[in-house]
Amino acid sequence: MKNIILIAPPAAGKGTQSLLIKDKYNMMHISTGDLLRVAKDEDSDTGRLIKSLMEEGKLVTDEIINDLLKNKLSETNNGFILDGYPRNIEQAKALDDMLESLDKKIDNVIVLDLPKEEALKRVCGRRLCTSCDAIYNIFEDSMKPKEEGICDSCGNALYQRTDDNEETFGTRFDTYLEKTAPLIDFYKDKGILEVVDSSINKEHTFNQIKEILDK
Ligand code: AMP
């Protein structure tokens, strides 16, 4: 079973593709954004720091995120999808160390390629279920919920992430270009990088990912 990393600008479909991969290949989905969305609500200095950094669209410190991830990685035994980690070169090096100590390795790093204007449109339309892990987009016919504000899968209410707005998007996208995009060369040099076009729809993106994973 494979271990993979998804790299993408905000709202390019990392979460959506992770769920499709998880269902088809029975791999564990590790979203550092999801881990942080839980940790930010803790009544502690760390919780408050995470909340303010996320709301500004900035990266949470490597120390906090590495600790959260280390615990999760040790629970994996059937292949995993890293969604949102690493976000910079330092994290990629920390990941190498963590994996080495667990006797694991990354098989594929998949970049979801999406132009900035399209990413902005998706960020503003994204809606998430308050109860299950379903993801919708009110601006895309194939991803709209059948009933406005209600999850198709479980019937619970949908919500919009507090960092899914035009202003925070600007910071998140700039952070992606400055800190995360250099990972593309880092993994290209290791010979495990693949780039897929994420601009058409989720099925088109997933078909390209399946080709990579089925190789
Ligand atoms: P995401 O759900 O992947 O879009 O992440 C949402 C936010 O969580 C990001 O804008 C960051 O503030 C924070 N975050 C997620 N993953 C990381 C990471 N690996 N390192 C630092 N911050 C992160």
Side-chain angles (χ1 to χ4, degrees), residues 38-108:
V38 173
K40 81 176 168 48
D41 291 331
E42 278 167 22
D43 184 16
S44 66
D45 287 347
T46 308
R48 283 181 282 277
L49 175 65
I50 294 173
K51 187 169 195 282
S52 72
L53 288 169
M54 286 180 85
E55 283 181 357
E56 285 172 55
K58 294 184 179 157
L59 292 184
V60 169
T61 63
D62 291 345
E63 198 187 357
I64 293 177
I65 194 69
N66 289 345
D67 271 356
L68 282 173
L69 185 73
K70 215 177 281 169
N71 290 335
K72 270 280 161 204
L73 275 182
S74 60
E75 293 168 15
T76 64
N77 54 18
N78 198 26
F80 58 80
I81 310 147
L82 272 180
D83 159 5
Y85 188 99
R87 282 288 229 277
N88 59 33
I89 298 283
E90 291 72 29
Q91 292 183 10
K93 290 180 178 162
L95 177 65
D96 280 347
D97 292 343
M98 285 184 235
L99 291 174
E100 198 183 329
S101 68
L102 294 166
D103 202 19
K104 295 179 194 285
K105 69 173 180 56
I106 296 296
D107 298 285
N108 299 108

Side-chain angles (χ1 to χ4, degrees), residues 1-207:
M1 193 49 79
K2 291 187 168 179
N3 299 322
I4 66 167
I5 293 173
L6 295 185
I7 294 180
K14 280 185 286 111
T16 302
Q17 295 302 322
S18 295
L19 297 180
L20 292 170
I21 298 167
K22 174 185 158 187
D23 284 349
K24 179 164 173 61
Y25 297 95
N26 191 26
M27 288 155 69
M28 183 170 174
H29 174 208
I30 305 175
S31 157
T32 45
D34 286 351
L35 293 175
L36 289 167
R37 275 182 281 282
V38 173
K40 81 176 168 48
D41 291 331
E42 278 167 22
D43 184 16
S44 66
D45 287 347
T46 308
R48 283 181 282 277
L49 175 65
I50 294 173
K51 187 169 195 282
S52 72
L53 288 169
M54 286 180 85
E55 283 181 357
E56 285 172 55
K58 294 184 179 157
L59 292 184
V60 169
T61 63
D62 291 345
E63 198 187 357
I64 293 177
I65 194 69
N66 289 345
D67 271 356
L68 282 173
L69 185 73
K70 215 177 281 169
N71 290 335
K72 270 280 161 204
L73 275 182
S74 60
E75 293 168 15
T76 64
N77 54 18
N78 198 26
F80 58 80
I81 310 147
L82 272 180
D83 159 5
Y85 188 99
R87 282 288 229 277
N88 59 33
I89 298 283
E90 291 72 29
Q91 292 183 10
K93 290 180 178 162
L95 177 65
D96 280 347
D97 292 343
M98 285 184 235
L99 291 174
E100 198 183 329
S101 68
L102 294 166
D103 202 19
K104 295 179 194 285
K105 69 173 180 56
I106 296 296
D107 298 285
N108 299 108
V109 177
I110 302 175
V111 178
L112 309 185
D113 191 33
L114 188 71
K116 184 174 181 180
E117 318 75 66
E118 185 60 25
L120 173 61
K121 196 178 108 194
R122 289 192 192 174
V123 120
C124 295
R126 175 157 60 185
R127 299 292 182 275
L128 306 169
C129 180
T130 46
S131 175
C132 71
D133 48 17
I135 303 171
Y136 299 89
N137 198 299
I138 59 169
F139 298 146
E140 275 181 59
D141 286 340
S142 67
M143 289 193 70
K144 267 187 194 163
K146 291 194 184 77
E147 197 181 329
E148 197 186 318
I150 303 292
C151 178
D152 295 351
S153 308
C154 72
N156 282 293
L158 302 182
Y159 76 101
Q160 185 169 23
R161 272 169 48 173
T162 51
D163 60 346
D164 275 354
N165 58 67
E166 198 164 341
E167 195 191 342
T168 310
F169 171 81
T171 311
R172 288 161 68 198
F173 199 88
D174 290 347
T175 304
Y176 173 77
L177 291 183
E178 188 193 333
K179 311 255 191 222
T180 309
L183 290 173
I184 295 176
D185 280 340
F186 181 86
Y187 287 116
K188 203 186 274 172
D189 289 347
K190 288 181 185 272
I192 52 174
L193 189 91
E194 307 270 0
V195 180
V196 303
D197 170 16
S198 190
S199 69
I200 310 292
N201 57 34
K202 65 178 179 183
E203 290 79 16
H204 181 255
T205 308
F206 189 46
N207 284 339

